[in-house]
Amino acid sequence: IVVNPETGEILAMAVVPSFNPNVFHRHQPFQWRNRAITDCYEPGSTIKAFLLAAALDKEAVTPQTRIFCEKGEYEVGNHIIHDHDAKGYGWLTVSEVIMHSSNIGAVKIGQKLGYKTYVEYLEKFGFGAKTGIELQGEREGFVRSPREAKEIDKATVSFGQGMTVTSLQLAMAMAAIANGGKLMRPVLVKSIRDGHGKIIQQTEPQVVRTVVSSEVARKVGEILETVVSEKGTGSMAAIHGYRVAGKTGT
């Protein structure tokens, strides 16, 4: 999915394997789906970008707040949460938690923020609701309500497990970080013209809501740039000559 963050315009949307709708009967039903809007999955560590945004916006942490990451093992209830690095991490700043994608660091950021507040921000970013794109079959995804969440649920959602999203939701939420904190409604059809080329219907960019301040969005963007650096988990996504920001996820 390629989206213009400022307008919400969907510039490209591709699904593989493809099919020819003129002879759809030659393809299997699972190939007919537009997986970008119909398939829900756990977002994994990509969700940490929005945890970070929420925590900074509520001033629960700063980019320099130091967090002890327990050397790779952290007990929550009767469960042990691990980091992907076998050696684990000691003290990391919040910025480094995101750069190295520490699950334990994310859980501790989530604990400082509070689960109820985190869910409120996830919903403001558009998770758990349809985006309203002009396509059939869009699904809402799932975000567990605070009253139904157990302690382990509150922990794992900090690194994107125990909730589901669509690819379009994820793209629009990241666009809100890129454009200064505004969640946009996705636009598929910019305008409709008659046979003479006269515009008979025009779709204007629509802001759904402001999620975080422009200052917070800028700080999150700068931290997400460190993810796509030599020290970060997304170094292979760096493009020479361009500023690239992003977040890895499994």
Side-chain angles (χ1 to χ4, degrees), residues 3 22 46 51 84 176 183 193 205-206 234 245 248:
V3 57
N22 294 305
T46 56
L51 170 70
H84 63 88
L183 181 69
R193 300 171 184 261
Q206 180 182 340
T248 50

Side-chain angles (χ1 to χ4, degrees), residues 1 13-17 29-43 127-131 133 135-142 163-171:
I1 299 170
M13 182 182 285
V15 175
V16 175
F30 75 87
Q31 294 175 292
W32 304 345
R33 297 203 311 273
N34 182 350
R35 294 177 181 272
I37 64 169
T38 64
D39 286 23
C40 299
Y41 58 94
E42 290 184 318
F127 299 113
K130 295 179 181 179
T131 65
I133 195 169
L135 291 170
Q136 291 183 330
E138 184 180 18
R139 293 172 64 193
E140 296 93 344
F142 170 74
M163 65 175 289
T164 63
V165 305
T166 66
S167 293
L168 181 61
Q169 285 176 336
L170 198 57

Side-chain angles (χ1 to χ4, degrees), residues 34-228:
N34 182 350
R35 294 177 181 272
I37 64 169
T38 64
D39 286 23
C40 299
Y41 58 94
E42 290 184 318
S45 290
T46 56
I47 209 69
K48 291 172 185 170
F50 313 108
L51 170 70
L52 172 67
L56 293 180
D57 199 55
K58 291 299 285 186
E59 299 182 347
V61 298
T62 71
Q64 291 76 39
T65 299
R66 285 166 55 80
I67 293 176
F68 184 60
C69 296
E70 307 288 341
K71 298 295 184 179
E73 291 190 359
Y74 185 47
E75 187 172 353
V76 177
N78 297 320
H79 301 268
I80 302 294
I81 291 172
H82 298 273
D83 272 333
H84 63 88
D85 189 313
K87 298 177 183 176
Y89 301 101
W91 287 98
L92 295 177
T93 65
V94 164
S95 296
E96 291 169 335
V97 165
I98 302 302
M99 181 175 71
H100 294 299
S101 202
S102 166
N103 290 341
I104 293 169
V107 170
K108 290 195 172 186
I109 293 172
Q111 289 172 338
K112 288 177 180 290
L113 177 64
Y115 184 73
K116 183 175 182 292
T117 303
Y118 182 33
V119 168
E120 289 171 358
Y121 273 87
L122 288 176
E123 291 174 345
K124 287 203 290 184
F125 270 113
F127 299 113
K130 295 179 181 179
T131 65
I133 195 169
E134 315 100 297
L135 291 170
Q136 291 183 330
E138 184 180 18
R139 293 172 64 193
E140 296 93 344
F142 170 74
V143 178
R144 198 181 309 276
S145 70
R147 69 176 181 274
E148 296 174 345
K150 300 175 182 177
E151 284 307 305
I152 189 62
D153 299 325
K154 295 175 183 179
T156 59
V157 78
S158 296
F159 49 90
Q161 295 181 11
M163 65 175 289
T164 63
V165 305
T166 66
S167 293
L168 181 61
Q169 285 176 336
L170 198 57
M172 298 311 297
M174 192 61 85
I177 298 296
N179 68 23
K182 303 183 298 292
L183 181 69
M184 304 298 294
R185 184 180 184 275
V187 175
L188 195 66
V189 179
K190 187 171 184 177
S191 63
I192 299 174
R193 300 171 184 261
D194 63 18
H196 301 288
K198 181 182 178 181
I199 295 176
I200 56 176
Q201 183 178 322
Q202 182 84 31
T203 304
E204 299 296 334
Q206 180 182 340
V207 179
V208 178
R209 68 183 69 89
T210 298
V211 185
V212 296
S213 70
S214 59
E215 177 65 14
V216 165
R218 182 186 63 79
K219 287 180 181 178
V220 173
E222 289 175 351
I223 292 171
L224 294 182
E225 283 187 66
T226 70
V227 175
V228 192

